[in-house]
Each structure stands twice: as structure tokens, then as C-alpha cells.
């Protein structure tokens, strides 16, 4: 099973600042990585797929990068509605998720 | 607008059974792979399994193989998850989701809570 490890577990950021979230795969997953946002009490929402493609309706402040085993989700200027938990997922071999990174207000 | 609505959650004793349903609308359901994803209370996401558009092929995570069965009725735009031999560790919110042919999840339902407890 491919293990996805996210870092950090919690990220404290001020509104308007840049946030950088990392995700590492235990073996190469090519570019088969998606990122999701989950707010408390809500279902996850797809942000990014194929490592860097933004899903429909996702603001341009969200961007994804990486390939192989190292991936990054960047939120260029955090808005109040962006404070949430973020998950990465690989779909190169079956489907597995990272443990999540909580982005909280500093 | 894509809508996915899960129903059928509840409290069940260990060893018991439960069937979840997912009603789909707003997209051509019969053309889409569909998945179930679960989330234990306060924990992360775990893919449970998926099903090909025509129902001819399905996959499951090892922890549910032989106990859970995914099925669909394309005439009713509905997806199902039959859960048998339930264990405490199956307690979770169960989401149905559209499964892009590549493997990511584009749209999600609001989830159904399944609690396995005596």
C-alpha cells in the first residue's frame, strides 16, 4: 500500500499570508495526486487533481505542484474561508489519503 | 448541479448488517464510476471501494473485502453499500462520491453516519 504522509499536522497562518502544505508518497505516484478541503461538519471538496490542475470553480489562489513522491499545495493569500483541513490522495495504485493538515488562524 | 444524497445510516450491533443508499442526480449516473469513502470520528479519509458504470467490476479495500458489497441500479440513479459482519472499527461517516476514471473524487454526498456498538 502506498502511504501518503502530510506535513505539518497543523499550520498556523495569518489571513492574507501564504500557506504551503506538503505531501510525500512512500513510492512514486507519478502525478496522480489530488487535494481536498474539508471544513468542520462538511464533506470534502476537490481542489486539485493530477497534481496541479484546479477543479471547476476553485479560486486561482489554490495551486498544486510536484511529481514522483513530493507534492505541494499552496494557498497564495489565505482568506477566512480557507481555514480547514486539507487532505492529499494518490490514485496511481489503488487510492490512499494522507492524514490531513489542519490550517488554523494564527 | 450534481447531487448525491446518502441514506440508511444508524446504530447497529457488532456482527450486524446495514445497507446504505446514495441517490444521484444532476449528471449521467450510468456513465460514472462511483465510490464509497469513509471517515471515522475525528480521523482521516479511507477509500472503501468502487464500482464500474455498468456494475461489472468492483474493487474493495482489504479491510472490508468479503464483508461489504457495492452495487448500483442505473435505472434508479442509485448506489448501494451492503455492510455485513460489522465491527466496531467500521464506525464512520460514509460518503458516496463520483470517481473520475483516473481515480480522484469530484463530487461528494453529505455523508451517512454508521455507528457499530453494543
Amino acid at each position: 500500500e502506498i502511504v501518503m504522509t502530510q506535513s505539518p499536522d497543523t499550520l498556523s497562518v495569518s489571513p492574507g499570508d501564504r500557506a504551503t502544505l506538503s505531501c510525500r508518497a512512500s513510492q512514486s505516484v507519478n502525478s496522480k495526486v489530488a487535494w481536498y478541503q474539508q471544513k468542520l461538519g462538511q464533506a470534502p471538496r476537490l481542489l486539485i487533481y493530477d497534481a496541479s490542475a484546479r477543479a471547476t470553480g476553485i479560486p486561482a489562489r489554490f495551486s498544486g505542484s510536484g511529481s514522483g513522491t513530493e507534492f505541494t499545495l499552496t494557498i497564495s493569500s489565505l482568506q477566512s474561508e480557507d481555514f480547514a483541513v486539507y487532505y492529499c490522495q494518490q490514485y496511481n495504485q489503488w487510492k490512499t489519503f494522507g492524514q490531513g493538515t489542519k490550517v488554523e488562524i494564527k | 448541479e450534481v447531487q448525491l444524497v446518502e441514506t440508511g445510516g444508524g446504530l447497529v450491533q457488532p456482527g450486524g448488517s446495514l445497507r446504505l443508499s446514495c441517490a444521484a442526480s444532476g449528471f449521467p449516473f450510468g456513465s460514472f464510476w462511483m465510490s464509497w469513502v469513509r471517515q471515522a470520528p475525528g480521523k482521516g479519509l479511507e477509500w472503501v471501494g468502487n464500482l464500474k458504470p455498468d456494475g461489472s467490476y468492483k474493487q474493495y479495500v482489504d479491510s472490508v473485502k468479503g464483508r461489504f458489497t457495492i452495487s448500483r441500479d442505473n435505472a434508479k440513479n442509485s448506489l448501494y453499500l451492503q455492510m455485513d459482519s460489522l465491527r466496531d472499527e467500521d464506525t464512520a461517516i460514509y460518503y458516496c462520491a463520483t470517481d473520475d476514471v483516473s481515480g480522484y473524487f469530484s463530487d461528494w454526498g453529505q455523508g451517512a453516519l454508521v455507528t457499530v456498538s453494543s
Side-chain angles (χ1 to χ4, degrees):
Chain A
E1 173 184 306
I2 297 176
V3 177
M4 304 295 282
T5 303
Q6 294 185 239
S7 61
D9 289 333
T10 303
L11 187 61
S12 298
V13 186
S14 299
D17 284 356
R18 181 186 193 92
T20 302
L21 289 68
S22 296
C23 179
R24 172 176 292 178
S26 59
Q27 63 188 77
S28 177
V29 294
N30 298 301
S31 294
K32 301 294 188 183
V33 166
W35 289 91
Y36 303 87
Q37 176 194 67
Q38 188 178 33
K39 297 180 181 178
L40 192 64
Q42 297 185 17
R45 177 175 71 144
L46 176 67
L47 299 175
I48 300 287
Y49 63 93
D50 292 347
S52 60
R54 262 190 308 277
T56 303
I58 300 304
R61 64 180 181 274
F62 291 92
S63 63
S65 63
S67 65
T69 61
E70 301 285 342
F71 300 89
T72 300
L73 175 70
T74 301
I75 312 172
S76 60
S77 176
L78 268 153
Q79 307 297 302
S80 57
E81 63 266 31
D82 300 335
F83 292 96
V85 179
Y86 293 83
Y87 294 95
C88 61
Q89 177 226 339
Q90 69 81 22
Y91 44 95
N92 189 64
Q93 188 180 111
W94 291 90
K95 305 165 197 291
T96 53
F97 292 88
Q99 82 279 12
T101 291
K102 180 180 180 181
V103 177
E104 64 176 24
I105 299 175
K106 187 174 183 179
Chain B
E1 179 194 2
V2 173
Q3 278 208 311
L4 298 167
V5 179
E6 301 93 337
T7 55
L11 175 64
V12 60
Q13 292 189 336
S17 297
L18 205 61
R19 187 196 197 207
L20 301 181
S21 299
C22 172
S25 60
F27 67 103
F29 177 77
S31 299
F32 276 69
W33 284 76
M34 294 295 296
S35 268
W36 289 96
V37 179
R38 67 183 179 182
Q39 185 170 36
K43 302 296 184 183
L45 300 164
E46 180 184 37
W47 174 69
V48 172
N50 66 357
L51 183 60
K52 197 176 176 181
D54 65 2
S56 63
Y57 181 74
K58 53 191 82 171
Q59 304 174 91
Y60 301 95
V61 69
D62 283 349
S63 58
V64 308
K65 273 182 190 172
R67 300 189 299 121
F68 288 14
T69 303
I70 301 175
S71 62
R72 65 195 296 161
D73 185 336
N74 288 341
K76 295 183 178 180
N77 286 347
S78 293
L79 179 73
Y80 306 102
L81 180 64
Q82 177 67 41
M83 302 181 289
D84 299 318
S85 303
L86 281 160
R87 306 167 180 168
D88 291 349
E89 56 265 33
D90 295 318
T91 293
I93 296 172
Y94 285 75
Y95 298 99
C96 69
T98 57
D99 189 337
D100 184 270
V101 66
S102 296
Y104 56 87
F105 309 110
S106 300
D107 297 284
W108 299 64
Q110 87 289 349
L113 177 62
V114 173
T115 303
V116 184
S117 175
S118 54

